[in-house]
Coordinates of all heavy atoms in Angstrom, one line a residue:
F139 N -23.6 39.4 32.6 CA -24.2 39.1 31.3 C -25.1 40.3 30.9 O -25.1 40.8 29.8 CB -25.0 37.8 31.4 CG -25.6 37.4 30.1 CD1 -25.2 37.8 28.9 CD2 -26.6 36.5 30.1 CE1 -25.7 37.4 27.7 CE2 -27.2 36.1 28.9 CZ -26.8 36.5 27.7
V140 N -25.9 40.7 31.9 CA -26.8 41.9 31.6 C -26.0 43.1 31.2 O -26.3 43.8 30.3 CB -27.7 42.1 32.8 CG1 -28.5 43.4 32.6 CG2 -28.7 41.0 33.0
D141 N -24.9 43.3 32.0 CA -24.1 44.5 31.6 C -23.5 44.4 30.2 O -23.4 45.3 29.5 CB -22.9 44.6 32.6 CG -23.3 45.2 34.0 OD1 -24.5 45.7 34.0 OD2 -22.6 45.0 35.0
E142 N -23.1 43.2 29.9 CA -22.5 42.9 28.5 C -23.5 43.2 27.4 O -23.1 43.9 26.4 CB -22.0 41.5 28.4 CG -21.3 41.2 27.1 CD -20.0 41.9 26.9 OE1 -19.4 42.4 27.9 OE2 -19.5 42.0 25.8
V143 N -24.7 42.8 27.6 CA -25.8 43.1 26.7 C -26.0 44.6 26.5 O -26.2 45.1 25.4 CB -27.1 42.4 27.0 CG1 -28.2 42.8 26.1 CG2 -26.9 40.9 27.0
S144 N -25.9 45.3 27.6 CA -26.2 46.8 27.6 C -25.1 47.6 27.0 O -25.4 48.8 26.8 CB -26.5 47.2 29.1 OG -25.2 47.3 29.8
R145 N -24.0 47.1 26.7 CA -22.9 47.9 26.1 C -23.1 48.3 24.7 O -24.0 47.7 24.0 CB -21.5 47.2 26.3 CG -21.1 47.0 27.7 CD -19.7 46.6 27.9 NE -19.3 46.7 29.3 CZ -19.2 45.7 30.2 NH1 -19.5 44.4 29.7 NH2 -18.8 45.9 31.4
D146 N -22.3 49.2 24.2 CA -22.5 49.7 22.8 C -21.8 48.9 21.8 O -21.0 49.3 21.0 CB -22.0 51.2 22.8 CG -20.6 51.3 23.2 OD1 -20.0 50.3 23.7 OD2 -20.0 52.4 22.9
T147 N -22.1 47.6 21.8 CA -21.6 46.6 20.8 C -22.8 45.9 20.3 O -23.8 45.6 21.0 CB -20.7 45.6 21.5 OG1 -21.3 45.0 22.6 CG2 -19.4 46.3 21.9
P148 N -22.8 45.4 19.0 CA -24.0 44.8 18.4 C -24.2 43.4 18.9 O -25.3 42.8 18.7 CB -23.6 44.8 16.9 CG -22.1 44.9 16.8 CD -21.7 45.7 18.0
A149 N -23.2 42.8 19.5 CA -23.4 41.4 20.0 C -22.8 41.3 21.4 O -21.8 41.9 21.7 CB -22.8 40.4 19.1
P150 N -23.5 40.6 22.3 CA -24.7 39.9 22.2 C -25.9 40.8 22.0 O -26.0 41.9 22.5 CB -24.8 39.1 23.5 CG -24.1 39.9 24.5 CD -23.0 40.5 23.7
G151 N -26.9 40.2 21.2 CA -28.1 41.0 20.9 C -29.4 40.2 21.1 O -29.4 39.2 21.9
G152 N -30.4 40.5 20.3 CA -31.7 39.9 20.5 C -31.7 38.4 20.3 O -32.5 37.7 21.0
G153 N -30.8 37.9 19.4 CA -30.8 36.4 19.2 C -30.4 35.7 20.4 O -30.9 34.7 20.8
S154 N -29.3 36.2 21.1 CA -28.8 35.5 22.3 C -29.9 35.6 23.4 O -30.1 34.7 24.2 CB -27.5 36.2 22.8 OG -26.5 35.9 21.9
I155 N -30.5 36.8 23.5 CA -31.5 37.0 24.6 C -32.8 36.1 24.3 O -33.4 35.5 25.2 CB -32.0 38.4 24.7 CG1 -30.7 39.3 25.0 CG2 -33.0 38.6 25.7 CD1 -29.9 38.9 26.2
A156 N -33.1 35.9 23.0 CA -34.2 35.0 22.7 C -33.9 33.6 23.2 O -34.7 32.9 23.8 CB -34.5 35.0 21.2
A157 N -32.6 33.1 22.9 CA -32.2 31.8 23.4 C -32.2 31.7 24.9 O -32.7 30.7 25.5 CB -30.8 31.5 22.8
L158 N -31.8 32.7 25.6 CA -31.8 32.7 27.0 C -33.2 32.6 27.6 O -33.5 31.9 28.5 CB -31.1 34.0 27.6 CG -31.1 34.1 29.1 CD1 -30.4 33.0 29.8 CD2 -30.4 35.4 29.5
A159 N -34.1 33.4 26.9 CA -35.5 33.4 27.4 C -36.1 31.9 27.2 O -36.7 31.4 28.2 CB -36.4 34.3 26.5
G160 N -35.8 31.3 26.1 CA -36.3 29.9 25.9 C -35.7 29.0 26.9 O -36.3 28.1 27.4
A161 N -34.4 29.1 27.2 CA -33.7 28.3 28.2 C -34.3 28.4 29.6 O -34.5 27.4 30.3 CB -32.2 28.6 28.3
L162 N -34.7 29.6 30.0 CA -35.3 29.8 31.3 C -36.7 29.2 31.3 O -37.2 28.6 32.3 CB -35.4 31.3 31.6 CG -34.1 32.0 31.9 CD1 -34.2 33.5 32.0 CD2 -33.5 31.4 33.2
G163 N -37.5 29.3 30.2 CA -38.8 28.7 30.1 C -38.7 27.2 30.2 O -39.5 26.6 30.9
A164 N -37.7 26.6 29.5 CA -37.5 25.2 29.6 C -37.1 24.7 31.0 O -37.5 23.7 31.5 CB -36.4 24.7 28.6
A165 N -36.3 25.5 31.6 CA -35.8 25.2 33.0 C -37.0 25.2 33.9 O -37.1 24.3 34.8 CB -34.8 26.2 33.5
L166 N -37.9 26.1 33.8 CA -39.1 26.1 34.7 C -40.0 24.9 34.4 O -40.5 24.3 35.3 CB -40.0 27.4 34.4 CG -39.4 28.7 35.1 CD1 -40.1 29.9 34.5 CD2 -39.6 28.6 36.6
A167 N -40.1 24.5 33.1 CA -40.9 23.3 32.8 C -40.3 22.1 33.4 O -41.0 21.2 34.0 CB -41.0 23.1 31.3
S168 N -39.0 22.0 33.3 CA -38.3 20.8 33.9 C -38.4 20.8 35.5 O -38.7 19.8 36.1 CB -36.8 20.9 33.6 OG -36.0 19.9 34.2
M169 N -38.3 22.0 36.1 CA -38.5 22.1 37.5 C -39.8 21.5 38.0 O -39.9 20.7 38.9 CB -38.3 23.5 38.0 CG -38.5 23.7 39.5 SD -38.7 25.5 39.9 CE -40.4 25.7 39.5
V170 N -40.9 21.9 37.3 CA -42.2 21.5 37.8 C -42.4 20.0 37.5 O -42.9 19.3 38.3 CB -43.3 22.3 37.0 CG1 -44.7 21.8 37.4 CG2 -43.2 23.8 37.4
A171 N -41.9 19.5 36.3 CA -42.1 18.1 36.0 C -41.3 17.3 37.0 O -41.8 16.2 37.4 CB -41.6 17.9 34.6
N172 N -40.1 17.7 37.4 CA -39.3 16.9 38.3 C -39.8 17.0 39.8 O -39.6 16.1 40.6 CB -37.9 17.3 38.2 CG -37.2 16.8 37.0 OD1 -37.5 15.8 36.5 ND2 -36.3 17.6 36.4
L173 N -40.4 18.1 40.1 CA -41.0 18.3 41.5 C -42.2 17.4 41.7 O -42.4 17.0 42.9 CB -41.4 19.7 41.7 CG -40.3 20.7 42.1 CD1 -40.8 22.1 42.1 CD2 -39.8 20.3 43.5
T174 N -42.9 17.1 40.7 CA -44.2 16.3 40.8 C -43.8 14.8 40.7 O -43.7 14.3 39.6 CB -45.2 16.7 39.7 OG1 -45.3 18.1 39.7 CG2 -46.5 16.1 40.0
Q175 N -43.7 14.2 41.8 CA -43.3 12.8 41.9 C -44.5 11.8 41.7 O -44.8 11.0 42.6 CB -42.5 12.5 43.2 CG -41.3 13.3 43.4 CD -40.2 13.0 42.4 OE1 -40.0 11.8 42.0 NE2 -39.4 14.0 42.0
T176 N -45.1 11.9 40.6 CA -46.2 11.0 40.3 C -45.9 9.8 39.4 O -46.6 8.9 39.3 CB -47.4 11.7 39.7 OG1 -47.0 12.2 38.4 CG2 -47.8 12.9 40.5
G177 N -44.7 10.0 38.7 CA -44.4 8.9 37.8 C -45.2 8.9 36.5 O -45.1 8.0 35.7
A178 N -46.0 10.0 36.3 CA -46.8 10.0 35.1 C -45.9 10.1 33.9 O -45.0 10.9 33.9 CB -47.7 11.2 35.2
P179 N -46.3 9.3 32.8 CA -45.4 9.4 31.6 C -45.4 10.7 31.0 O -44.4 11.1 30.4 CB -46.1 8.3 30.7 CG -47.5 8.1 31.2 CD -47.4 8.4 32.7
E180 N -46.4 11.5 31.1 CA -46.4 12.9 30.5 C -45.4 13.8 31.2 O -44.8 14.6 30.6 CB -47.8 13.5 30.7 CG -48.9 12.8 29.9 CD -49.6 11.6 30.6 OE1 -49.1 11.3 31.7 OE2 -50.5 11.0 30.0

């Protein structure tokens, strides 16, 4: 994927990378929430 972004083509570009960044941020949030077995509604 990183290699594909680095090639001399206009896509994938910043929009795809922005989505990937958000997906990784959401994944980290899910990981921490699921690791903490307190049952808190939050």
Side-chain angles (χ1 to χ4, degrees):
F139 183 21
V140 172
D141 283 346
E142 183 66 22
V143 174
S144 73
R145 292 193 170 100
D146 57 349
T147 55
S154 291
I155 301 308
L158 178 60
L162 291 170
L166 283 168
S168 175
M169 178 193 80
V170 175
N172 286 326
L173 276 172
T174 311
Q175 298 293 325
T176 65
E180 294 86 358

